[in-house]
Amino acid sequence: GDSVTQMEGPVTLSEEAFLTINCTYTATGYPSLFWYVQYPGEGLQLLLKATKADDKGSNKGFEATYRKETTSFHLEKGSVQVSDSAVYFCALSDNNDMRFGAGTRLTVKP
Amino acid sequence: NAGVMQNPRHLVRRRGQEARLRCSPMKGHSHVYWYRQLPEEGLKFMVYLQKENIIDESGMPKERFSAEFPKEGPSILRIQQVVRGDSAAYFCASSSTQPLPLAKNIQYFGAGTRLSVL
């Protein structure tokens, strides 16, 4: 079945460092891809999405490009802030069936 | 437009008691999903419901757990005879019934119910 694999954490960076969180997927169809963020004590919030190959999702300085040839949707940010500390989940959706990765915890230190 | 509402936010139960978790989807949404998140782990899908129907319950434990989404009122996740291993955060999400593909695939999450079993 469809699945998502994302890099294991935790990831610890200094403020203003470059961030990459890898995500690859397996799907039989043409899924939509998502990144969700979970701040401490809260639910998941949609960060960005892409619905077809070569689409780039972006929000709050984060970006991810839907790469069909490598079945990837890596999350990047050029300069992280302390407030970006959270758990990030990669997900795919085919119709109404959504699959999540295990999550990657990011800690940004001042 | 209110988001997905879950209550209670925190629930404490003793072993053997029942836990009832409620979820009201976003206005206009009739697809509801329940997930469980154990401490320091990712989200695990439990069940997917539409109004009055269970569509996919492949992630639900076979015993003690049940879910419903009645025609009127919130979706309920019910855990009977709770055990310590049921302690987790339970998240509800909803999605749109509109036929637009971009709208249909996005799930919106509630803040979760944190269940603690003593």
Side-chain angles (χ1 to χ4, degrees):
Chain A
D2 294 358
S3 65
V4 174
T5 302
Q6 62 182 103
M7 69 184 279
E8 291 187 18
V11 174
T12 302
L13 296 172
S14 297
E15 206 164 22
E16 299 184 4
F18 184 86
L19 168 71
T20 299
I21 301 178
N22 289 339
C23 171
T24 57
Y25 68 90
T26 302
T28 53
Y30 300 95
S32 297
L33 301 174
F34 307 85
W35 278 99
Y36 282 83
V37 58
Q38 184 182 30
Y39 298 104
E42 298 184 12
L44 275 69
Q45 301 175 23
L46 179 65
L47 181 60
L48 54 84
K49 64 176 173 61
T51 57
K52 62 182 187 298
D54 300 324
D55 268 2
K56 177 186 283 188
S58 61
N59 185 26
K60 300 181 181 179
F62 291 89
E63 293 183 341
T65 301
Y66 190 143
R67 301 283 188 203
K68 190 165 181 289
E69 63 277 12
T70 54
T71 61
S72 65
F73 193 55
H74 304 321
L75 182 68
E76 296 182 337
K77 186 173 185 180
S79 176
V80 292
Q81 305 300 313
V82 172
S83 58
D84 294 327
S85 297
V87 180
Y88 292 81
F89 292 91
C90 185
L92 70 78
S93 176
D94 203 346
N95 296 316
N96 276 308
D97 187 17
M98 183 166 274
R99 299 293 180 214
F100 288 86
T104 302
R105 181 176 298 279
L106 170 66
T107 301
V108 180
K109 297 189 173 180
Chain B
N1 187 14
V4 177
M5 303 301 293
Q6 289 189 249
N7 68 82
R9 288 294 306 273
H10 301 276
L11 181 61
V12 179
R13 286 286 178 267
R14 296 190 181 280
R15 281 179 295 172
Q17 291 184 318
E18 178 180 285
R20 280 180 176 251
L21 288 63
R22 293 175 183 77
C23 170
S24 296
M26 284 181 71
K27 187 177 180 181
H29 288 189
S30 63
H31 300 268
V32 166
Y33 313 79
W34 285 94
Y35 296 86
R36 176 164 61 176
Q37 185 179 36
L38 294 170
E40 301 302 317
E41 293 190 15
L43 285 175
K44 301 296 183 186
F45 167 79
M46 299 182 74
V47 62
Y48 161 38
L49 310 103
Q50 294 180 19
K51 285 284 187 181
E52 300 184 277
N53 288 304
I54 296 174
I55 307 301
D56 180 355
E57 57 181 347
S58 58
M60 287 278 272
K62 298 296 182 210
E63 298 177 349
R64 302 187 297 108
F65 284 72
S66 62
E68 62 176 10
F69 189 17
K71 188 177 180 182
E72 301 292 338
S75 175
I76 306 289
L77 178 68
R78 182 181 177 208
I79 311 173
Q80 295 178 290
Q81 299 174 321
V82 296
V83 300
R84 289 221 172 107
D86 296 333
S87 296
Y90 292 83
F91 290 98
C92 170
S94 72
S95 67
S96 174
T97 55
Q98 294 178 10
L100 299 172
L102 293 180
K104 192 173 82 169
N105 286 351
I106 298 174
Q107 293 186 13
Y108 296 88
F109 282 78
T113 294
R114 280 155 182 80
L115 172 65
S116 297
V117 180
L118 303 179

